[in-house]
Amino acid sequence: DKPVSVSDSTLLFTLEALGKRRYRIAQAAHLSEAARQNILGAAWHVRSSVRAAMINLYEASQTGKLLEQLAALQEENGKIVEQRMSSGMLSPLEATRSRVSLNESRLALASGAKRIADARVQLAQALGLPSPAVEGIALSFDFPENPGMKLSRGDIQRLALRNRPDILAALSEYAASQSALQTELAARYPDIQLGPGFEWDQGSDKWGIAAAMPHPVFDRNQGPVAEARAALEVEAARCTALQAQVIGEIDQALAAYTSGLRELEAARGTLREQERQYDFILTMTRGGEVQRVALLNARQQFDSAALSELGAFTKMQRAMAQVEDAVQQPILPPGASPQGFEANPRKRRW
């Protein structure tokens, strides 16, 4: 008639103290949000790589067209120089200079063809495709003709610090560490475990349910608390460092953007002057080799200015991309829309 007790049961019911389950759920939610933001950050890096490859391919293809025009002009000019040297109107030194210029033009043209091929390979890599997959595809280069922003530095900094996926991921990881610390702080107080450890009460003729407090009470969970607090401090320092890095990227990008705008304006001013000069010489030309040489030289100067303008234009596009990478979201110029970018390819005069 002794009381019967069984204590080796494998089924336990835990009554957690101080909202430990709520803290664990919050920690999981924060980690899930951090993972989502990291996916968005990876997607932006893919977009950035594709945009950089498109800019490089655009610059290489347009440069190739201009170099073809310059090589053709140089070849025609060389024929005239050879004829004038044969008639004694020019010295052999002038003819040699013309041949050297023609060879340099052909070399630049061959180098331009290699740049186009390399740019297509870069685009294929950015898209995650084999190189032959982008061969023969007609691409639409729809960069804004007049890039510009109406956002101030403060606006851009707010956009970056409130929307960049890596910033939001770091903040979510900090919040997860804070929830982990709250869990460990709550663990200083033991849980109550109920299980089918039982004994027969003869006086009441019923089974009694045993209760247990398996967690040590006296160490107050000091070790895990200190570890969680240190992890929280690490996440706080990482957030601060990342924020400083982003602000530095913004300052660098805006400096490149301002410099690029000035360079583009200067290059376009030079191009307009060369265009007016070419139109004037074209109007004054009445035939003859001398006039033809002057016209060819004016056209070469115009195409050289167009090359400089193209370089400034693509540099400006890279500066815009650098600003967008600092914010990690598109910044459209005034009056532009993503639908317009997709539908209307930009046509340049060269």
Side-chain angles (χ1 to χ4, degrees):
D1 295 334
K2 290 182 179 181
V4 179
S5 177
V6 178
S7 60
D8 59 352
S9 172
T10 58
L11 181 63
L12 295 174
F13 299 93
T14 301
L15 301 179
E16 293 184 313
L18 301 177
K20 298 174 188 176
R21 181 174 180 273
R22 183 175 71 252
Y23 295 143
R24 289 199 305 272
I25 292 175
Q27 181 183 5
H30 292 314
L31 291 176
S32 175
E33 176 63 16
R36 189 180 75 86
Q37 293 296 334
N38 287 330
I39 292 174
L40 294 177
W44 177 265
H45 287 305
V46 171
R47 180 189 185 277
S48 178
S49 299
V50 172
R51 176 171 181 172
M54 290 288 288
I55 293 175
N56 291 339
L57 181 56
Y58 171 78
E59 182 180 23
S61 60
Q62 297 299 325
T63 300
K65 293 178 182 179
L66 286 171
L67 289 175
E68 286 179 1
Q69 295 179 11
L70 282 170
L73 292 170
Q74 192 67 40
E75 187 171 357
E76 184 178 356
N77 187 53
K79 292 178 181 179
I80 295 175
V81 169
E82 292 290 343
Q83 292 174 1
R84 296 180 67 187
M85 186 195 68
S86 299
S87 62
M89 299 177 62
L90 287 178
S91 67
L93 180 60
E94 294 294 332
T96 301
R97 290 175 179 172
S98 178
R99 295 189 199 104
V100 170
S101 297
L102 178 58
N103 289 332
E104 290 176 350
S105 298
R106 290 171 177 171
L107 181 61
L109 187 59
S111 178
K114 182 180 183 302
R115 285 184 61 192
I116 294 176
D118 291 343
R120 285 193 174 274
V121 171
Q122 181 186 1
L123 178 60
Q125 291 176 346
L127 293 172
L129 299 172
S131 299
V134 298
E135 295 292 337
I137 297 179
L139 299 173
S140 174
F141 302 101
D142 192 18
F143 304 114
E145 184 73 26
N146 295 298
M149 294 187 300
K150 289 187 176 180
L151 298 177
S152 65
R153 183 193 178 282
D155 294 333
I156 292 175
Q157 181 171 327
R158 279 190 293 273
L159 279 174
L161 296 182
R162 297 177 65 179
N163 295 283
R164 270 186 64 142
D166 53 354
I167 290 285
L168 298 181
L171 291 175
S172 295
E173 289 172 1
Y174 175 82
S177 297
Q178 192 170 27
S179 297
L181 175 59
Q182 290 173 326
T183 301
E184 298 300 339
L185 289 172
R188 294 180 300 178
Y189 302 92
D191 299 330
I192 297 176
Q193 292 184 342
L194 300 178
F198 52 86
E199 64 180 10
W200 179 256
D201 187 346
Q202 294 183 2
S204 301
D205 290 333
K206 64 181 181 181
W207 294 100
I209 303 298
M213 298 174 63
H215 197 284
V217 177
F218 300 106
D219 71 344
R220 304 285 290 175
N221 202 33
Q222 294 179 11
V225 168
E227 184 178 357
R229 183 173 284 114
L232 181 64
E233 292 175 356
V234 169
E235 291 299 328
R238 193 167 74 88
C239 288
T240 303
L242 180 59
Q243 180 175 251
Q245 175 187 338
V246 169
I247 293 174
E249 291 178 6
I250 291 172
D251 291 338
Q252 186 177 6
L254 289 178
Y257 172 79
T258 303
S259 175
L261 264 183
R262 294 172 181 170
E263 186 173 338
L264 180 59
E265 291 173 359
R268 285 180 171 172
T270 302
L271 181 62
R272 286 191 295 268
E273 290 296 330
Q274 292 295 338
E275 187 175 16
R276 281 194 290 266
Q277 181 178 352
Y278 174 75
D279 291 340
F280 174 77
I281 295 177
L282 181 62
T283 302
M284 299 299 294
T285 300
R286 293 294 184 266
E289 293 181 358
V290 176
Q291 290 80 4
R292 182 61 180 169
V293 169
L295 183 63
L296 289 174
N297 289 334
R299 180 65 191 188
Q300 288 176 5
Q301 292 175 2
F302 172 77
D303 287 344
S304 297
L307 271 175
S308 299
E309 195 270 349
L310 174 63
F313 179 79
T314 52
K315 182 178 180 180
M316 185 69 246
Q317 293 300 325
R318 291 188 181 95
M320 280 292 299
Q322 188 176 354
V323 174
E324 290 189 351
D325 286 342
V327 182
Q328 292 196 5
Q329 71 177 57
I331 300 178
L332 303 180
S337 65
Q339 294 79 8
F341 286 173
E342 296 291 337
N344 301 312
R346 188 170 62 85
K347 298 184 181 298
R348 298 177 69 86
R349 58 175 165 271
W350 53 74

